[in-house]
Amino acid sequence: MCGITGIFDTRQVRPVEHAVLKRMNDSQHHRGPDEGSLHIEPGLGFGHRRLSIIDVATGQQPLFNEDGSVVVVFNGEIYNYQELIPELQAAGHVFHTKSDTECIVHGWEQWGERCVERFRGMFSFVLWDRHRQTLFMARDRMGVKPLYYALLEDGTLLFGSELKSVLAYQAPGGRALPRTLDPLAVEEYFALGYVAEPRTIFKGARKLAPGHCLAIRRGEPVGQPREYWDLRFTLDARIGLDEACAGLRERLQESVRLRMIAEVPLGAFLSGGVDSSAVVATMAGLSTGPVNTCSIAFDDPQFNESEFAAMVATRYATNHRVETVRSDDFDLIDTLARLYDEPYADSSAIPTYRVCQLARKHVTVALSGDGGDEALGGYRRYRMHLMEERLRAALPPGVRRPLFGLLGRVYPKADWAPRVFRAKTTFEGMARDSVEAYFHTVSILRGPMRTQLFSAALRRELGGYDALEVFRRHAARAGTDDPLALIQYLDLKTYLVGDINTKVDRASMAHSLEVREPLMDHRLVEWLATLPSDLKLRGSEGKLILKKSMEPMLPDDVLYRPKMGFAVPLARWFRGPLRQRVRDAVLGDRLAATGWFERRALEQLIDAHQSGARDHSAPMWTLLMFEAFLRNVVDGATGDVTHAVAEAPALA
C-alpha cells in the first residue's frame, strides 16, 4: 500500500523541478512512511511513498523493466501475482524482484493495455513507456484504490493517490491547479454526501473511475478514459440455496487466502456484524495461529456492538483488542476535512478513523468486511425499495404519481413517530420512477431541501443540473430489469466507491495501515451477480446466502440480529455539546462568503433540529463538513496530513 504522484508533459519535454515533485510526494508521506523515491527524466517525474508489505527487501518504486524503458508507480496489491510471474517468465521476461509491482511492467510489455484485465486486486498505477512515448494509468474494478488527475492549460498532467498531492503542485512562475469549486460537484455533495466519480470538487481535477484506464501519447490530444470492466447481472434461476452456499464458502475462502499474503503483521477488523465476522471465521480456518482482531466499543449502548464481536473472538480464540470511543468523539472534524481533501459527509468516518488507529498499533495489514451489503443485498433500504416496486408495478403511473405526490406533500414528517408511521418518504418515493425513488431514498438533502437551502445564484450556476443524473447515467448501463440487481448496481457504482471505499482508504492510510476487502474480490462479485435475487434478499432477511452459508461457523445472535451499523449520535451532539459550534459554522462567514446558501433557510433548519421538532442531523453534518472543507482545504492550502494526524486526540 502506497502513495503515488507525478508530473507528465503531454506536449513537450520541459524539465520537471525536483523540489516541486518532492513537495507533491511528501504531501502523501502518511500513505508510505517506509520509503520515498523519485524518478525524473525530461518531461516526466514520478514520485512514490512506500508502505512495505510484499517483497520488503527489494520491492522499491518507481520500478523499471529490464532495459529501463518502462517505469511504474503503483498503489495497492495484485493478489494473483504469484500466478502471473511464471507465465511472464515463460514468455521471456526477467524478474529482478519478488514483488507484485514487477508484474505490471512486464504485463504491460506482454499484453499492452489489456494487462489490466489480467490483474486481480486493488490497485491504481501509472506507467511510462519511453519507447512508445505513452503514459498509461489504470484503476481497479471496484474502486478500492483512488487516483486523481488534472490537465493544466499548458499541457502539464498531474496525478496522485490523493487530491492533496495534485494541489501541492506549484511550478516556477506560479502555475498550479486553480482551486475553483465546481457547482455541479456541490450539488452532488449535498445530495449524496460525497462527490461522485469522475467529478471532483475542483473544476480542473478528475477521479479516474473504477474499471477504467487512460492512455496518453505525448504530442497527441488527451482523450477520455476507457472502461475495461463492468459488472453484469446475469441472474440464473436454476441455482439453489444449498449450491449457492457451498459456492460462496469456497469463493470466500479463496478470496481471504489471497489477501492473507503479507510479510508484515496481519489482522482483521471485527465489528460484530455478519460481514466482518464471516471474514474472521474464514481467516481462522486458514491460519495456523490465532487471528489478530480489533474492534471499537462505544460508551453509548445504542451504538455498541462489542459484545457480538466478543462472541466471535471467543469462538475462534483470536488475539482480540478492544478500545472504547466516547460518544462525544467529535474532535476530528478539522482533521477529517484535511484527510479527505473534498467535502465528505459520512459521520462514520470518525469511528472508522479510530478503529484504524487501534489496528495500526498491532498490525500493518487488516482485512475488513466492506462491500458485503452492496454485493449481497444487505441494506435495510433494499427491502423498502422492493416493497415500493411491487406497488409501483400494481398502479399505473397516471394514478400513482398524482395520488402519492399529493400524499407526500401533505403528510407530516414525523421524525418522532415509530418507523412504521413514517410514511412521508414512502409516499414521496411512490410518486417517482424506480431510479428517482431510490435516489430520493439515499439522498442526504433531498431535492426540495436543496432547492430551499441553495441561493438563486447557485441555482443559476447549476443550470438545471440535478445529482439524479449520476444515477440516471449508471442505470442506463446496468443491463438489468431486476429491481434488486438494479439498485445493487447503482450502489456498487456510487455509494460503495464514493462513500465506503473513500472512507476506508483515507482513514487507514492516515495511519499507514493497509486494508484489504475479501468481499470486494471482483471474481466473487461477478459470481454473486449470477445468483437469483431471492438468495440475497428474501422477505425481510438480507444477505440470506451469506448467513445460511455461515450458520456452521457463526452464532445465530451474530447472524440474525438486527443490523446496527457504524454510527455516531449526531442528533444528540447538535442539541448538546456541538449546539453552538454547528450554529456558528453553518451561519458563519465562510459559508456566507460563497453566496450559495439562503441564510434564513439555514436558520430554520438549525432551529427546527435544536428545538427537537425535527431531526436534521444528517443535513447539518453535511453543512458542517462543507464549512470545514472550505476552511481547511480551499483556504488552508492543504499540505502534509501527517501533522493533522499527529494532533488528533488519542482514543479515550
Side-chain angles (χ1 to χ4, degrees):
M1 189 68 69
C2 306
I4 64 175
T5 194
I7 304 168
F8 174 57
D9 188 343
T10 66
R11 299 174 186 171
Q12 306 173 52
V13 288
R14 289 167 294 186
V16 169
E17 295 286 335
H18 181 278
V20 174
L21 183 61
K22 184 177 186 302
R23 182 168 61 247
M24 294 170 66
N25 203 38
D26 289 348
S27 73
Q28 298 182 139
H29 181 277
H30 53 287
R31 296 189 71 93
D34 295 336
E35 294 180 75
S37 302
L38 306 178
H39 166 70
I40 297 176
E41 61 180 79
L44 177 82
F46 277 4
H48 184 262
R49 295 294 326 181
R50 188 183 189 205
L51 178 62
S52 303
I53 303 293
I54 292 175
D55 193 15
V56 172
T58 63
Q60 291 81 7
Q61 299 182 45
L63 185 144
F64 298 82
N65 66 340
E66 300 96 324
D67 66 4
S69 64
V70 178
V71 57
V72 70
V73 282
F74 161 54
N75 170 32
E77 303 289 351
I78 307 296
Y79 296 123
N80 64 332
Y81 76 103
Q82 292 176 334
E83 301 172 14
L84 295 176
I85 288 176
E87 181 179 353
L88 289 165
Q89 287 175 325
H93 299 279
V94 178
F95 280 74
H96 297 288
T97 75
K98 298 177 181 179
S99 73
D100 55 340
T101 309
E102 196 167 0
C103 285
I104 298 175
V105 293
H106 296 312
W108 167 262
E109 291 177 298
Q110 184 68 26
W111 303 305
E113 291 188 26
R114 298 198 66 178
C115 67
V116 290
E117 300 170 18
R118 303 294 305 273
F119 300 150
R120 182 178 183 179
M122 56 177 188
F123 55 81
S124 62
F125 68 82
V126 180
L127 64 81
W128 166 243
D129 186 325
R130 192 179 306 115
H131 293 327
R132 303 186 199 182
Q133 288 290 288
T134 297
L135 188 88
F136 181 71
M137 60 176 65
R139 187 177 178 193
D140 68 74
R141 298 164 180 83
M142 303 299 293
V144 178
K145 293 291 99 187
L147 186 58
Y148 291 83
Y149 67 100
L151 182 65
L152 304 185
E153 290 184 356
D154 67 350
T156 300
L157 182 85
L158 313 172
F159 68 85
S161 293
E162 297 183 16
L163 190 53
K164 61 175 54 64
S165 70
V166 176
L167 294 173
Y169 175 82
Q170 183 75 48
R175 293 194 316 279
L177 175 69
R179 300 194 182 204
T180 305
L181 301 187
D182 183 349
L184 307 190
V186 173
E187 156 72 6
E188 292 179 5
Y189 168 72
F190 279 98
L192 300 171
Y194 54 88
V195 180
E197 267 80 350
R199 205 181 306 278
T200 76
I201 192 63
F202 297 110
K203 282 186 175 181
R206 285 289 180 267
K207 307 179 188 91
L208 188 65
H212 280 69
C213 58
L214 176 61
I216 305 169
R217 185 172 176 83
R218 177 172 280 150
E220 297 180 2
V222 177
Q224 293 299 312
R226 175 181 67 84
E227 185 176 59
Y228 69 86
W229 181 86
D230 195 10
L231 182 64
R232 297 289 89 182
F233 281 84
T234 54
L235 310 185
D236 186 348
R238 297 169 298 177
I239 301 176
L241 182 58
D242 291 343
E243 177 188 353
C245 287
L248 177 57
R249 281 191 294 267
E250 177 185 346
R251 287 167 174 81
L252 180 58
Q253 186 178 71
E254 181 201 26
S255 181
V256 169
R257 177 183 58 79
L258 287 173
R259 284 158 179 79
M260 291 177 66
I261 299 171
E263 298 176 14
V264 294
L266 174 109
F269 296 145
L270 182 55
S271 69
V274 177
D275 301 329
S276 66
S277 298
V279 169
V280 168
T282 305
M283 288 178 72
L286 295 167
S287 300
T288 56
V291 176
N292 296 306
T293 58
C294 62
S295 66
I296 291 294
F298 292 91
D299 62 5
D300 185 336
Q302 182 180 353
F303 302 95
N304 190 16
E305 295 184 283
S306 60
E307 65 174 292
F308 301 102
M311 288 182 188
V312 179
T314 300
R315 179 163 180 163
Y316 289 101
T318 71
N319 292 326
H320 191 52
R321 280 101 173 181
V322 184
E323 291 195 30
T324 299
V325 173
R326 68 184 193 274
S327 57
D328 287 343
D329 184 33
F330 45 72
D331 295 326
L332 289 174
I333 290 172
D334 287 338
T335 298
L336 293 177
R338 292 190 289 268
L339 280 178
Y340 286 85
D341 297 328
E342 297 187 86
Y344 178 79
D346 186 342
S347 60
S348 68
I350 293 176
T352 302
Y353 180 97
R354 292 304 190 195
V355 77
C356 292
Q357 186 179 48
L358 166 61
R360 190 60 179 90
K361 295 178 182 179
H362 309 286
V363 300
T364 309
V365 176
L367 273 62
S368 83
D370 293 313
D373 284 311
E374 292 82 3
L376 288 152
Y379 289 121
R380 285 189 294 256
R381 62 179 180 260
Y382 290 171
R383 301 197 294 270
M384 182 61 68
H385 181 80
L386 294 192
M387 182 196 76
E388 293 176 4
E389 281 292 275
R390 289 191 289 272
L391 289 172
R392 266 188 284 272
L395 293 172
V399 174
R400 177 170 48 82
R401 288 174 181 163
L403 172 61
F404 287 102
L406 175 62
L407 288 172
R409 288 190 296 273
V410 302
Y411 196 87
K413 178 67 173 175
D415 298 311
W416 49 267
R419 186 174 299 275
V420 70
F421 296 116
R422 300 181 198 175
K424 186 178 183 70
T425 300
T426 299
F427 291 153
E428 291 172 337
M430 287 299 300
R432 295 166 164 83
D433 64 39
S434 299
V435 174
E436 186 179 1
Y438 190 63
F439 174 78
H440 182 75
T441 295
V442 301
S443 293
I444 298 178
L445 278 74
R446 291 172 176 147
M449 181 175 284
R450 299 199 303 279
T451 299
Q452 182 182 9
L453 293 181
F454 289 171
S455 69
L458 177 54
R459 292 196 298 272
R460 283 193 299 272
E461 290 191 62
L462 290 174
Y465 178 76
D466 191 307
L468 171 61
E469 293 183 26
V470 174
F471 278 40
R472 295 279 192 215
R473 182 177 74 247
H474 289 301
R477 305 185 70 254
T480 181
D481 56 5
D482 180 86
L484 179 60
L486 174 60
I487 58 177
Q488 284 183 273
Y489 183 87
L490 291 175
D491 273 347
L492 287 162
K493 292 293 185 179
T494 59
Y495 182 71
L496 179 66
V497 181
D499 189 303
I500 302 298
N501 288 346
T502 299
K503 173 178 63 180
V504 175
D505 176 80
R506 302 306 188 280
S508 59
M509 286 285 87
H511 299 289
S512 305
L513 175 75
E514 175 171 302
V515 176
R516 301 175 177 177
E517 297 89 353
L519 292 171
M520 278 193 247
D521 183 277
H522 83 272
R523 291 187 183 173
L524 173 59
V525 172
E526 287 174 339
W527 176 78
L528 289 170
T530 69
L531 302 184
S533 288
D534 70 347
L535 296 187
K536 301 165 191 171
L537 176 57
R538 182 176 295 178
S540 61
E541 202 65 65
K543 287 188 282 199
L544 177 71
I545 178 180
L546 180 62
K547 294 173 182 178
K548 288 293 184 182
S549 67
M550 288 291 117
E551 281 183 348
M553 304 166 69
L554 293 170
D556 284 357
D557 286 346
V558 169
L559 293 174
Y560 294 106
R561 67 184 177 87
K563 185 177 177 64
M564 184 177 289
F566 216 24
V568 294
L570 290 181
R572 181 168 57 78
W573 286 358
F574 293 150
R575 293 181 183 128
L578 287 184
R579 181 184 183 91
Q580 193 58 46
R581 179 169 178 174
V582 70
R583 180 173 288 272
D584 291 345
V586 174
L587 301 179
D589 294 340
R590 192 58 189 89
L591 281 187
T594 65
W596 285 347
F597 303 96
E598 294 288 350
R599 180 180 176 86
R600 181 59 186 148
L602 295 175
E603 290 173 343
Q604 290 172 344
L605 182 82
I606 294 173
D607 290 343
H609 179 86
Q610 294 186 340
S611 70
R614 300 283 293 274
D615 182 357
H616 287 315
S617 53
M620 288 168 64
W621 179 262
T622 306
L623 287 159
L624 183 66
M625 293 308 297
F626 190 70
E627 190 271 347
F629 157 76
L630 293 175
R631 284 189 292 103
N632 287 278
V633 180
V634 178
D635 300 342
T638 301
D640 187 351
V641 79
T642 52
H643 178 65
V645 172
E647 291 180 340
L651 288 160

